[in-house]
Every structure is written in structure tokens, then in C-alpha cells.
Amino acid sequence: MATTEPFEDMERRQPAELVTLYELEPEVRDVIVEGSNDKAFFDWYLSQIDHRGNLIRVYAVGDRVYLPDGEVLDGGHTAGERGRVVRLAEILNDLAPDCTSALMIADSDYASIALDKKPEIPGLFFTDYASLESYTLSDHVIDKLLRVVFAAPAEISAPMVLRAIKDPLTASFLIGACLREADTGAAISPKAVDRIPLATPCPDDVIREVFRISLKEKAREISVDNLTRRYGELRKSVTDDFRNFVRGHDIAHFVVKFLKENCKRVFTKEDGRRRGLQSPELLEIALMSCLEYQKLRSEKLFAAVELWLSRASATESEPPGAAACA
């Protein structure tokens, strides 16, 4: 039985309460994403579409629904915002299979190596690549970052940056996958990520060091050699678009690392206004702001979002009494 607790935010509800809301107010449309940065991004994206309805709102899942980690784990998902979005979609589909009031968007994460599920549920969409941030891994986005955000010299090119960060991004992704698959209770730390070199495939001795740093005192019974061996097995599965093998928050980390090693003056020239962009958290925001609407809409996820939105707008114009949750 679902527990009840008082909510300071009146928009935050239990899943069954959301279904009731959608039944009573069929004109309501929710887009539910993982976190606050995703919410800000999709608020911008939907604002670019002319037919956006006044009652379409974007929410971080934690701001819209009360769904504890235990419920997420019971559904067979990893605790966290990604699992919360997917579990919410499953619950809503069980309670109201015909409901079209909510669209949920989650990262694919480790689905490329079968560590995360991507259930086929109406109203649940996944990123085309491992994460929302993976859409920034293109020449035009990195070029815009270099020219507009950093005013970098012409000799520092987008292809140069992408070549340098491709292998370390994949290495970090696979190390994180190994730690999770082995149920170590540990995650790869920023300090450990920083040990991964740019440009070249990560040597085994560095892989072992990153595992040791990440494990610390948490899981001494886990063999670093076994984890390294598993890393080598997973590495063979990286055969297609490397954007499917990227932890989104690592992208800014390795871009900063590249610039510090190859063009550090972008952080210090003039009055030092760009110095704060050495923070990966800030640089990630800058990266996401370099994405362009017309480029994104050709991707499968965004084409699906626009199709849902057009149908949602059409439903809003139906006569009173036409329910979104039949």
C-alpha cells in the first residue's frame, strides 16, 4: 500500500494521484525527466515549438512524484532518478494503460551493454545515445563551444577535441559499468576519472589504479584483477557509435582536461572571465547551451517528442469531456 506524507510542493504527488489528476483534468500534459538540468533543457527545447500548449509542463521526476528508492528497486531498476522515471512509467501504464497525459524521458545509460533496461512502454522515451549530454559530442557543438564560449585559437579544432576525449570517455563508462555490475557499492570518483589519459586507449595498469581508487575501503573482497578482466571483455563490445558508451557528466571533465593540457590560456586570458569554466559542472551547462534546435530535431528522440506534442495539442482542442486517460 502506498504511504502518504505531507508535501510542501503541491505539484508533487503519488503515482495514483497523478492518474486521478489526468482523469479529472485531461488537458494537463506533463513531461517528466530525470533532473533539474534536464528540466531546464527540455523547457528550452519545447519553447522552440510553436504549437506548445499552455498546460504542458516539464518536471524533474523528484519534483512531480513521490516514489521512494524501495519502489524503484522492487521494479528491478537501479535506485536513482533514471530508475525513478522508468518505474513511474511502468506504474502509470499499469494504472491507466490508455493514458496519454504524461511523457517520460530517461537516459539510456548502460543499456548498450545490457546493464540497464529499456522497457517498451507508451509514453516512455529514451535518449538515442547513453545520455542527454552525449548529443553534445559532435563537431558543430564542440566547435561552437571552442569559438563562442572560449574564443579558442583556430588550431584547436572540434575533431581534435573529439579524438582526444573519445577513448577516455569510453574507459570511464566501462569502469563504471564494471563497478556496478559487480555490486561493489562504489562509483568511479572524479579523482579516479582524472587518472585516465587523453587520446590513447587506457593502459591496464591505469585501469587497475582507477578501480583501486574507486573501491577505497568499500569492497576489499572484490578483486581488482577480476574487474580489470571484465573491463577487457566489455571493451570488445564497443563496436558502434561511441556516444552509446559515455557517462554524460564525464564529457565536460575531459573537455576541461584537454584544454588545460593543450590550450590553458583560454581559462586565463583577458580578465579571466572564463576561469570558472574549469569547473566541469559549469562547463556542462555551457556545452548543453551549444546544442541547436534544428540539429536536434532530426534525432529519433526529439522527433518522437515533437510527435507526442503535436498529438497532445490536438487532444487539447477536442470537445470538453474527451479524456486523456480513457
Side-chain angles (χ1 to χ4, degrees):
M1 180 180 295
T3 58
T4 59
E5 65 173 39
F7 301 138
E8 292 182 5
D9 185 348
M10 296 304 293
E11 292 186 310
R12 190 170 183 237
R13 302 169 185 267
Q14 307 256 359
E17 292 175 325
L18 276 183
V19 171
T20 300
L21 171 68
Y22 299 149
E23 290 174 344
L24 294 175
E25 301 183 36
E27 70 279 8
V28 168
R29 295 292 182 272
D30 288 347
V31 177
I32 300 174
V33 298
E34 292 187 25
S36 57
N37 286 348
D38 293 354
K39 171 190 160 27
F41 174 80
F42 278 102
D43 265 329
W44 164 77
Y45 186 84
L46 294 181
S47 74
Q48 305 302 297
I49 304 171
D50 290 339
H51 56 257
R52 182 184 184 187
N54 290 332
L55 288 176
I56 294 176
R57 296 287 183 269
V58 183
Y59 295 94
V61 64
D63 294 334
R64 188 51 163 158
V65 66
Y66 173 69
L67 195 61
D69 283 345
E71 177 66 42
V72 175
L73 293 169
D74 288 346
H77 306 289
T78 303
E81 301 310 276
R82 194 253 187 204
R84 211 174 316 282
V85 171
V86 178
R87 184 60 185 146
L88 174 62
E90 291 174 337
I91 294 171
L92 294 184
N93 189 57
D94 288 342
L95 294 174
D98 298 321
C99 185
T100 58
S101 295
L103 169 66
M104 285 141 287
I105 302 172
D107 285 346
S108 291
D109 274 7
Y110 291 114
S112 61
I113 51 175
L115 284 188
D116 279 315
K117 300 176 183 179
K118 289 175 65 177
E120 294 185 8
I121 299 172
L124 174 62
F125 298 162
F126 292 94
T127 52
D128 297 285
Y129 315 109
S131 67
L132 189 60
E133 294 82 6
S134 294
Y135 291 99
T136 66
L137 293 169
S138 67
D139 282 347
H140 76 272
V141 172
I142 300 299
D143 183 68
K144 187 175 181 181
L145 180 82
L146 293 172
R147 307 301 155 226
V148 177
V149 176
F150 284 110
E155 61 266 23
I156 303 297
S157 69
M160 183 188 303
V161 174
L162 289 170
R163 282 195 301 271
I165 67 176
K166 175 180 176 180
D167 281 321
L169 283 170
T170 301
S172 180
F173 175 89
L174 295 178
I175 290 168
C178 291
L179 290 168
R180 201 179 97 181
E181 184 183 47
D183 196 23
T184 63
I188 182 170
S189 66
K191 179 181 177 182
V193 170
D194 205 44
R195 301 297 178 94
I196 300 173
L198 294 174
T200 58
C202 197
D204 281 353
D205 60 330
V206 175
I207 297 295
R208 290 191 181 91
E209 181 184 10
V210 173
F211 278 131
R212 281 194 291 269
I213 293 171
S214 299
L215 288 171
K216 295 181 181 176
E217 303 295 324
K218 288 191 174 182
R220 289 188 178 276
E221 71 277 8
I222 302 295
S223 166
V224 169
D225 286 340
N226 287 345
L227 289 171
T228 305
R229 199 158 34 246
R230 180 57 176 156
Y231 172 91
E233 293 169 357
L234 290 177
R235 190 70 182 81
K236 296 174 185 176
S237 68
V238 183
T239 56
D240 61 352
D241 192 329
F242 86 99
R243 289 176 290 182
N244 291 312
F245 305 90
V246 170
R247 294 192 326 150
H249 299 309
D250 286 341
I251 297 171
H253 180 99
F254 284 114
V255 170
V256 169
K257 186 180 176 79
F258 173 87
L259 291 172
K260 283 184 174 179
E261 291 184 11
N262 295 277
C263 193
K264 191 171 184 178
R265 64 190 175 94
V266 299
F267 294 117
T268 58
K269 65 182 181 180
E270 297 174 352
D271 58 1
R273 285 175 295 176
R274 297 179 177 88
R275 190 171 296 129
L277 291 173
Q278 293 177 86
S279 160
E281 291 80 10
L282 291 180
L283 184 56
E284 183 176 303
I285 295 171
L287 259 173
M288 294 299 291
S289 71
C290 290
L291 287 167
E292 296 175 0
Y293 169 69
Q294 290 298 339
K295 296 279 188 181
L296 284 171
R297 65 187 312 214
S298 64
E299 300 279 5
K300 290 181 180 179
L301 168 63
F302 295 94
V305 169
E306 292 204 22
L307 179 60
W308 177 87
L309 191 61
S310 66
R311 289 173 175 171
S313 297
T315 304
E316 284 178 29
S317 64
E318 290 180 1
C325 294

